[in-house]
Amino acid sequence: MMLDVLPSELSLNVLSYLPISYICSLIILSCQWHHFLVANQWSIFCRAAILHGFIQPGLQLEDALAQHMGSPWEGSIDWKDFCRRFFQLNKNWEGKGRAVVRLFSPPVQDVVHIKVDEKAGICITSHIFGGLSVIHLFSGILLWCLPANYVRLCAHEYESGYLVFDRPREWVEIWRLTNDVDVDKVAASAPPDEEQLEMSRITAAKNSQYAPYGHFRPWAKLTHLQFTYNHRLAYPTLAMVGGGSLRRVYLYDVRTGSLVQIIDVNVKGFYQDDVNKRHLFLCERDAVHVYSRASGTEVLRIPNNVAVAYVESLNIIEGDSFVSPLTLSPGLDDSFPNFLTARVSRDGRDLVIMAYYDRILLVRNFERICCKETTLEDSGYVLRLPPYDCYTIEFEHGRICVATLCGLYIFTLHSGFSSSLNLRAVFVRPYHNYIIYSDPMYTHIHLTDRRVYFSWEHEMRRNVTLFEDEGNARELSPPITNEPFHNPTVLDEFRGPDAPRGVSVGCVDFSLMPESCENRPRKQLSWWANIGCSLCLHLPCFCFLASDPQSIS
């Protein structure tokens, strides 16, 4: 037996490579395993959290809870409880738990583009007539804004406290959360100019009621001779694509405002770009181009006519299910629609491409293709959705979210180094009646580790009943008062020539924990139960998981 041969330290090291489902089996194998696992419970579940990707190595529990604030981690008492809540969250995402819809209507109701910072408790919106506003989660109170003549319509990027937007037909500006930066500190390589500082003073005065909550301060001004568009922020790198006949991509470090790299690209015209530490991704209609940041050269080209295996998600949208799990069936794909958007996972391993109408191309471990270890035909999969137009896509936290005419499709990718397809799919419809519109209901989505946020046009959801419940309370209280705050002078700055379209900002919340997962005093069991059912006594948080091995595989 391993415990009789190896020292405890080596046994714990071996167990650190086992999923929790296997550990749950070991604890009821024998009394010796039971006592060993219970005695080393803290270390075992800490290592399990690292193995399953819940935390980065070296984190203490206090640091992990600081990174994962609010529901469902609030109240975690140890690593075992921390892991239990993560597993329940994953079950919720896969349609095996609970989810609700939250809505909050911003004062400026022509929202198109949204970014959310759950840790700061803010939602940043840009608008169809221009301008930018910061509203509070989940009250919808306006905290801070920039006027329509200062921010180009429908465009901004945000991550890690850095807000990026471009002026109409001018330069690109970087602002930072006021609470994250000292008053006199600015980007060393590209400090803001006097016009930015003056606008900061004006907006701070107009939105002083909740200052400094949700307020931003100028950090940098990026200027160059070539007009740029299509910005993409993957902290700390900001990618900006140059227009005109000279195709270049400029890569900046937002922390300093410095230009770190220029990559000349050979593309005709493209829709979207993405970037990470090792690669740059450019999507045009008939191909996605992957450039190495180390060499500045193209290392992979994915054409839209590649012949790959495809998996079709079955059309399970009958009835009133809010989150419906989907089954996937293999097939063949003989259509080659044009590409729209490419997104890469944060770990740099997987690539997803959205095409016209109802196709999603997923490439697992695409770097193995670059290294000639496998082929695109073997690593690529086409996810064919029901025939309703795809409008936007996000790829974050190991999940792909696709907004279509009829609802949201969410694919959860399970970790692994093989190129085989390993994912779970659900269809989310945050309304009771199945209605198909000719225009998109969701104008933009933002994906976090526990919620998917969306902007939703009032005209598109008329006569639609949303799912709500009594437990759908505000997670964060307004910064000062619950009283409504309206500033007509500020709101008028966003009004265009036509009446603004009404838009709600909402989210599908997967973070709710069932009552069976709450921390409660454990009942005393008999001697037989203490030995034969020790899993139920000492690992109550995984009893409901052990009956479903696939949920923790």
Side-chain angles (χ1 to χ4, degrees), residues 22 32 39 50 68 74 76 133 161 186 211 250 277 310 373 418 427:
Y22 290 77
Q32 187 177 9
I50 297 174
H68 301 84
E74 185 177 6
S76 296
S133 60
V186 295
Y250 300 88
K277 293 181 179 180
Y310 98 89
E373 297 177 3
S418 67
F427 174 71

Side-chain angles (χ1 to χ4, degrees), residues 151-172:
V151 181
R152 183 172 65 87
L153 58 88
C154 309
H156 72 280
E157 288 288 315
Y158 174 84
E159 188 176 351
S160 301
Y162 289 84
L163 174 64
V164 179
F165 60 87
D166 55 341
R167 298 277 297 277
R169 301 178 302 277
E170 296 184 44
W171 50 81
V172 174

Side-chain angles (χ1 to χ4, degrees), residues 106-107 140-145 205-210 215 481-488 490-491:
I141 291 177
L142 179 67
L143 303 175
W144 184 82
C145 65
K206 285 187 176 182
N207 301 275
S208 60
Q209 180 170 357
Y210 300 118
H215 282 220
T481 176
N482 286 323
E483 296 178 359
F485 173 50
H486 301 288
N487 189 335
V490 173
L491 299 185

Side-chain angles (χ1 to χ4, degrees), residues 392-463:
T392 184
I393 187 171
E394 288 293 328
F395 191 3
E396 295 286 351
H397 306 285
R399 295 183 180 90
I400 302 168
C401 182
V402 184
T404 70
L405 278 176
C406 59
L408 305 174
Y409 287 87
I410 301 176
F411 302 91
T412 299
L413 276 65
H414 290 268
S415 59
F417 290 94
S418 67
S419 297
S420 60
L421 186 65
N422 185 14
L423 57 80
R424 306 286 174 84
V426 296
F427 174 71
V428 181
R429 183 184 57 234
Y431 45 85
H432 285 293
N433 300 320
Y434 173 48
I435 303 174
I436 293 297
Y437 294 100
S438 59
D439 295 314
M441 300 182 69
Y442 308 96
T443 54
H444 191 260
I445 56 176
H446 180 90
L447 193 61
T448 70
D449 56 354
R450 49 185 167 163
R451 301 182 181 101
V452 52
Y453 293 82
F454 51 86
S455 53
W456 202 0
E457 295 189 18
H458 284 317
E459 294 298 325
M460 295 296 103
R461 67 177 184 88
R462 190 170 290 172
N463 300 323

Side-chain angles (χ1 to χ4, degrees), residues 233-385:
L233 174 60
Y235 181 82
T237 303
L238 171 65
M240 300 194 301
V241 179
S245 58
L246 181 61
R247 292 291 181 173
R248 284 181 171 176
V249 178
Y250 300 88
L251 303 180
Y252 285 87
D253 188 329
V254 295
R255 297 169 297 184
T256 62
S258 58
L259 178 63
V260 296
Q261 190 175 6
I262 300 176
I263 300 179
D264 293 315
V265 297
N266 183 23
V267 295
K268 301 175 183 177
F270 50 91
Y271 297 103
Q272 295 289 338
D273 65 316
D274 204 354
V275 66
N276 63 12
K277 293 181 179 180
R278 298 185 296 273
H279 297 95
L280 171 70
F281 308 84
L282 300 176
C283 178
E284 58 178 346
R285 289 186 300 176
D286 57 359
V288 169
H289 306 265
V290 182
Y291 285 81
S292 168
R293 291 187 57 181
S295 63
T297 59
E298 183 177 279
V299 294
L300 178 63
R301 181 181 181 273
I302 303 176
N304 68 334
N305 60 355
V306 63
V308 301
Y310 98 89
V311 175
E312 181 177 4
S313 56
L314 297 183
N315 191 359
I316 307 178
I317 52 179
E318 298 296 332
D320 291 331
S321 298
F322 175 34
V323 180
S324 303
L326 303 175
T327 58
L328 304 176
S329 59
L332 298 175
D333 187 25
D334 56 0
S335 62
F336 310 110
N338 293 333
F339 290 156
L340 287 175
T341 306
R343 289 288 180 259
V344 64
S345 59
R346 286 304 174 99
D347 60 9
R349 183 178 301 168
D350 302 317
L351 180 64
V352 63
I353 305 169
M354 183 176 72
Y356 273 114
Y357 306 121
D358 57 357
R359 301 294 200 280
I360 305 296
L361 174 60
L362 173 62
V363 183
R364 303 300 306 266
N365 298 300
F366 76 91
E367 288 184 319
R368 296 187 61 213
I369 305 176
C370 301
C371 299
K372 310 300 182 183
E373 297 177 3
T374 185
T375 63
L376 179 60
E377 290 76 10
D378 293 333
S379 299
Y381 300 88
V382 173
L383 306 176
R384 184 174 182 180
L385 308 180

